[in-house]
Amino acid sequence: MTSPVTTCPVTIRIQDDDFDIAREIAVLTKSRTDIGAVVSFSGICRADEDSSKISALTLEHYPGMAEDEIKRHVDEAVSRWPLNGVTIIHRVGRFMPGQNIVLVLTASQHRKAAFEAAEFLMDYLKTSAPFWKKEESATGTGWVEAQARDDEAAARWTRS
Amino acid sequence: MKLKYFAWVRERIGMAEETIEPPATVRTVEELIAWLSGRGEAYAYAFEKPKVIRAAIDHAHVRPDAAIAGAREIAFFPPMTGG
């Protein structure tokens, strides 16, 4: 008789290389029978930003702080929801439209915690993890400006 | 202390990092920004809108009034746009 597994393995990677969502889910759920739900979010480089056509996107990060900041929010997510596993992979480098940028996987016994934790993590990734995007288009290159709507999305998780 | 710059702050200043010794009268992040702004045109351009600049001390986000005493690494960058 084995007791239920309640550990929460956490994987955080910042890498140039692409990721395989199916493989990452398989790694997260391997030999586990306590996971009832895995939510995956993947962020993909888009070809349009408002009215302009994007030809490429370059992502820069602050090595060390980026991992620390993601870990801090994963720890908070684990304290707020009954999670059984979290994987976050953020790519850096230069990307073409259609290529993967970020992956968030959250595993839990039930879907609600997995959905909420994935949203929480993405909202904080966008507003507090030190990554910056630079766009290339026919008119030149420019740094992407932070959006107020992303701050608003993150603010809804603030506990009073 | 070591200073690090990212994204357009790095491009405007023209370097990714440097080691500096600010005078003792520079006690906070905002005072450091003001002092750096007086070091030349590139710095003045990078910090022309100090309210837009975010700072981190030893990998943790800080407010402009944060004390810099004891900091090993202070980073300056624009608002984050990852994800």
Side-chain angles (χ1 to χ4, degrees):
Chain A
M1 170 101 186
T2 54
S3 55
V5 180
T6 53
T7 52
C8 182
V10 172
T11 299
I12 295 167
R13 293 207 306 270
I14 295 169
Q15 62 188 38
D16 297 344
D17 296 340
D18 198 7
F19 49 77
D20 179 333
I21 300 170
R23 186 181 168 277
E24 297 300 334
I25 292 175
V27 168
L28 188 66
T29 57
K30 187 175 164 51
S31 306
R32 300 286 296 262
T33 55
D34 57 327
I35 292 171
V38 174
V39 164
S40 80
F41 170 83
S42 45
I44 299 161
C45 180
R46 221 184 12 244
D48 298 274
E49 190 59 45
D50 300 326
S51 56
S52 58
K53 287 273 182 216
I54 303 305
S55 53
L57 197 60
T58 299
L59 268 132
E60 170 178 335
H61 78 303
Y62 181 177
M65 181 175 172
E67 292 86 343
D68 291 353
E69 193 65 21
I70 294 171
K71 176 71 166 52
R72 207 164 63 78
H73 286 100
V74 169
D75 288 346
E76 187 175 344
V78 169
S79 78
R80 290 175 74 156
W81 290 280
L83 299 177
N84 293 350
V86 177
T87 297
I88 297 184
I89 302 173
H90 205 305
R91 298 179 69 195
V92 289
R94 187 166 175 270
F95 305 106
M96 303 294 154
Q99 293 187 310
N100 290 324
I101 296 175
V102 63
L103 176 68
V104 172
L105 300 181
T106 49
S108 187
Q109 273 191 292
H110 302 289
R111 70 180 184 279
K112 190 166 188 288
F115 273 126
E116 288 182 3
E119 271 208 274
F120 167 88
L121 288 167
M122 268 314 299
D123 286 343
Y124 276 100
L125 254 175
K126 288 195 85 80
T127 56
S128 92
F131 291 87
W132 300 274
K133 284 182 183 139
K134 193 179 197 177
E135 289 173 349
E136 295 172 39
S137 69
T139 54
T141 64
W143 291 94
V144 176
E145 279 192 46
Q147 299 285 338
R149 63 171 183 261
D150 292 330
D151 287 324
E152 288 157 15
R156 72 196 156 122
W157 302 104
T158 306
R159 286 188 285 200
S160 52
Chain B
M1 61 185 64
K2 186 190 271 188
L3 298 188
K4 287 196 166 199
Y5 309 115
F6 293 95
W8 54 255
V9 175
R10 169 177 50 76
E11 288 182 343
R12 289 184 180 191
I13 290 173
M15 65 182 130
E17 61 178 75
E18 64 181 318
T19 300
I20 53 129
E21 281 302 330
T25 51
V26 174
R27 287 157 303 184
T28 64
V29 166
E30 56 196 339
E31 286 171 0
L32 180 58
I33 288 176
W35 179 74
L36 287 167
S37 298
R39 295 179 88 206
E41 272 182 33
Y43 291 96
Y45 179 39
F47 294 116
E48 66 180 354
K49 290 176 184 156
K51 281 193 166 65
V52 179
I53 304 292
R54 304 294 170 91
I57 295 182
D58 297 333
H59 291 181
H61 293 290
V62 293
R63 294 178 186 282
D65 62 357
I68 62 168
R72 290 187 306 275
E73 183 173 295
I74 303 181
F76 292 107
F77 41 75
M80 289 66 71
T81 56

